[in-house]
Amino acid sequence: MFLLGCVDAFEVPPSISNDGILVVEGRMGNDETIISLSRTANLDSFSIKPEVNAILHIENEVGSIGQLNEREAGTYFLDTDLNFGEKYRIRIETASQEVYHSDYATLLETPPITALEYEVDTAEFGVEILLSTEDPNNDTGYYLWDYNETYEYFTKFKSLLEFDGVNLTKRNKENQIKFCWKTDYSSDILLQSSIQLEEDVVSKKPIVRYTLTETRKFVIAYSILVNQYAVSAEEFEFWSLLETNSESLGTLFDPQPAQITSNLQCTSHPQKRVIGYIGCSSKTQKRLFVDGRDLPRDPTNLILYCTERSVLLSEQEELIEILSSGRYVPTRYAPIGDSEGLFYAANFCADCRVQGGTNVKPDYWF
């Protein structure tokens, strides 16, 4: 008791708030430039705060060559015609009159993707997407990739009817809701360097891997569109540090988080921080389709066990109550004993849009 009474109280110093820091993401390209602006938020906030009404310009070493347009909240776009080997930067002026500049960067030309293929692991029922590329001129050295993947899926029951809140009508073929297409966007940081190699070649770089028994993405058909970018050594270091900090498990033997530097500065208020990196290179793309019928195992066993329910058409009040709840979808008319009835199912089992996709087939779909 005496010893405890002699201990001085320790006042925890107030932490520095990281709320409201400008976050900049994007890339200047030879044919288009897309920049996204947002603000950091506290951990208890679950929404992204886009930075709207900013004024963005692409500049060369002489001056502005074009202003970006805000096509949606916080996302700025401009069709561009930039020249490889020349230097460019982005100037940002926020609605609060903060001014930011990126460092001048030389526009790099990205080589094409030479191969995009998939390999199947029959022992573990796995499928892996692999990419290969090369630069015969040995000018690239550092590569960055992202991708989006689209897959077709279906519900267990087919809805032949529509309910508009009052009446039941036959569903039009154009408004079918059994088959949908959903697109997911990559969140992994995919990097590789060929600097240590004699030739500027990347061979069978793993892009994504799935176990067929754990995903429905290959039940019918799957497509992946991979974007490839040449990056500078500085940008490669930025993404490498971000990858290391993001994937650290936090054990004693993990590398300590490194300070991630940006190629942007606030020139109006030098003390203000900014997060992000603006790249400067062209983009090359390649798309791959995978037909689920070509895979060694059909993972349809992952379809949830859904059941149809029924109600007599004569029971009008119960029928209206069921369909008006929004939880069920009418599927078909069929006899129930000697009477006519309506069959229905939970919307998750009969409306593919509930699972996040769209019932409109993409233009590029085979």
Short mmCIF file of all heavy atoms in Angstrom, two decimals, residues 13-22 40-43 49 271-273 275:
data_model
loop_
_atom_site.label_atom_id
_atom_site.label_comp_id
_atom_site.label_asym_id
_atom_site.label_seq_id
_atom_site.Cartn_x
_atom_site.Cartn_y
_atom_site.Cartn_z
N PRO A 13 -0.48 11.36 -23.18
CA PRO A 13 -0.55 12.52 -24.06
C PRO A 13 -1.63 12.34 -25.10
O PRO A 13 -1.89 11.22 -25.54
CB PRO A 13 0.85 12.56 -24.71
CG PRO A 13 1.34 11.16 -24.62
CD PRO A 13 0.76 10.60 -23.35
N PRO A 14 -2.28 13.41 -25.50
CA PRO A 14 -3.32 13.29 -26.53
C PRO A 14 -2.71 12.85 -27.85
O PRO A 14 -1.62 13.27 -28.22
CB PRO A 14 -3.88 14.72 -26.64
CG PRO A 14 -2.78 15.60 -26.12
CD PRO A 14 -2.08 14.81 -25.07
N SER A 15 -3.41 11.94 -28.52
CA SER A 15 -2.91 11.43 -29.80
C SER A 15 -3.18 12.44 -30.90
O SER A 15 -4.08 13.26 -30.82
CB SER A 15 -3.59 10.09 -30.14
OG SER A 15 -4.99 10.28 -30.25
N ILE A 16 -2.34 12.36 -31.91
CA ILE A 16 -2.51 13.24 -33.05
C ILE A 16 -3.63 12.70 -33.93
O ILE A 16 -3.61 11.54 -34.33
CB ILE A 16 -1.20 13.35 -33.85
CG1 ILE A 16 -0.10 13.92 -32.97
CG2 ILE A 16 -1.38 14.20 -35.10
CD1 ILE A 16 1.26 13.92 -33.63
N SER A 17 -4.62 13.51 -34.23
CA SER A 17 -5.75 13.06 -35.03
C SER A 17 -5.34 12.90 -36.48
O SER A 17 -4.66 13.76 -37.06
CB SER A 17 -6.90 14.06 -34.92
OG SER A 17 -7.94 13.69 -35.80
N ASN A 18 -5.74 11.77 -37.06
CA ASN A 18 -5.50 11.54 -38.47
C ASN A 18 -6.79 11.72 -39.28
O ASN A 18 -6.90 11.27 -40.42
CB ASN A 18 -4.95 10.12 -38.71
CG ASN A 18 -3.51 10.01 -38.26
OD1 ASN A 18 -2.74 10.95 -38.44
ND2 ASN A 18 -3.15 8.88 -37.69
N ASP A 19 -7.78 12.35 -38.67
CA ASP A 19 -9.06 12.57 -39.33
C ASP A 19 -8.95 13.75 -40.28
O ASP A 19 -8.37 14.78 -39.95
CB ASP A 19 -10.14 12.83 -38.28
CG ASP A 19 -11.52 12.87 -38.89
OD1 ASP A 19 -11.71 12.28 -39.97
OD2 ASP A 19 -12.42 13.49 -38.30
N GLY A 20 -9.49 13.59 -41.48
CA GLY A 20 -9.56 14.70 -42.41
C GLY A 20 -8.36 14.89 -43.31
O GLY A 20 -8.25 15.90 -44.01
N ILE A 21 -7.42 13.92 -43.34
CA ILE A 21 -6.26 14.02 -44.23
C ILE A 21 -6.71 13.68 -45.65
O ILE A 21 -7.49 12.75 -45.88
CB ILE A 21 -5.14 13.06 -43.78
CG1 ILE A 21 -4.67 13.43 -42.37
CG2 ILE A 21 -3.97 13.08 -44.75
CD1 ILE A 21 -3.67 12.45 -41.79
N LEU A 22 -6.22 14.44 -46.62
CA LEU A 22 -6.58 14.19 -48.01
C LEU A 22 -5.92 12.90 -48.50
O LEU A 22 -4.73 12.68 -48.30
CB LEU A 22 -6.15 15.36 -48.89
CG LEU A 22 -6.56 15.27 -50.37
CD1 LEU A 22 -8.08 15.39 -50.51
CD2 LEU A 22 -5.87 16.34 -51.20
N THR A 40 -9.60 10.99 -44.87
CA THR A 40 -9.55 9.95 -43.85
C THR A 40 -10.62 10.22 -42.80
O THR A 40 -11.04 11.36 -42.58
CB THR A 40 -8.18 9.90 -43.17
OG1 THR A 40 -7.89 11.19 -42.60
CG2 THR A 40 -7.09 9.54 -44.16
N ALA A 41 -11.06 9.13 -42.14
CA ALA A 41 -12.09 9.23 -41.12
C ALA A 41 -11.66 8.43 -39.91
O ALA A 41 -10.75 7.59 -39.97
CB ALA A 41 -13.42 8.73 -41.66
N ASN A 42 -12.31 8.66 -38.79
CA ASN A 42 -12.03 7.90 -37.58
C ASN A 42 -12.44 6.45 -37.76
O ASN A 42 -13.26 6.10 -38.62
CB ASN A 42 -12.79 8.50 -36.38
CG ASN A 42 -12.25 9.87 -36.00
OD1 ASN A 42 -11.05 10.13 -36.08
ND2 ASN A 42 -13.14 10.77 -35.60
N LEU A 43 -11.87 5.57 -36.94
CA LEU A 43 -12.14 4.14 -37.06
C LEU A 43 -13.60 3.80 -36.84
O LEU A 43 -14.08 2.77 -37.32
CB LEU A 43 -11.27 3.36 -36.07
CG LEU A 43 -9.76 3.33 -36.38
CD1 LEU A 43 -9.02 2.62 -35.27
CD2 LEU A 43 -9.50 2.66 -37.72
N LYS A 49 -15.48 9.41 -47.17
CA LYS A 49 -15.84 10.81 -47.34
C LYS A 49 -15.18 11.34 -48.61
O LYS A 49 -14.02 11.76 -48.59
CB LYS A 49 -15.41 11.63 -46.12
CG LYS A 49 -16.04 11.16 -44.81
CD LYS A 49 -15.79 12.14 -43.69
CE LYS A 49 -14.33 12.27 -43.35
NZ LYS A 49 -14.09 13.13 -42.17
N GLN A 271 2.54 22.16 -43.76
CA GLN A 271 2.45 21.29 -42.60
C GLN A 271 1.36 20.23 -42.75
O GLN A 271 1.31 19.25 -41.99
CB GLN A 271 2.20 22.11 -41.33
CG GLN A 271 0.78 22.67 -41.17
CD GLN A 271 0.55 23.93 -41.99
OE1 GLN A 271 1.41 24.34 -42.77
NE2 GLN A 271 -0.61 24.55 -41.82
N LYS A 272 0.46 20.39 -43.71
CA LYS A 272 -0.63 19.45 -43.89
C LYS A 272 -0.13 18.16 -44.54
O LYS A 272 0.68 18.20 -45.47
CB LYS A 272 -1.74 20.05 -44.75
CG LYS A 272 -2.63 21.04 -44.02
CD LYS A 272 -3.80 21.46 -44.88
CE LYS A 272 -4.75 22.37 -44.10
NZ LYS A 272 -5.44 21.63 -43.03
N ARG A 273 -0.61 17.05 -44.03
CA ARG A 273 -0.24 15.75 -44.58
C ARG A 273 -1.14 15.39 -45.75
O ARG A 273 -2.27 15.86 -45.87
CB ARG A 273 -0.35 14.66 -43.50
CG ARG A 273 0.66 14.78 -42.38
CD ARG A 273 0.43 13.68 -41.36
NE ARG A 273 0.53 12.35 -41.98
CZ ARG A 273 0.05 11.24 -41.42
NH1 ARG A 273 -0.56 11.31 -40.25
NH2 ARG A 273 0.19 10.08 -42.03
N ILE A 275 -1.98 11.67 -48.22
CA ILE A 275 -1.75 10.24 -48.36
C ILE A 275 -2.04 9.84 -49.81
O ILE A 275 -3.02 10.27 -50.39
CB ILE A 275 -2.65 9.43 -47.41
CG1 ILE A 275 -2.33 9.78 -45.95
CG2 ILE A 275 -2.49 7.94 -47.64
CD1 ILE A 275 -3.28 9.15 -44.96
#
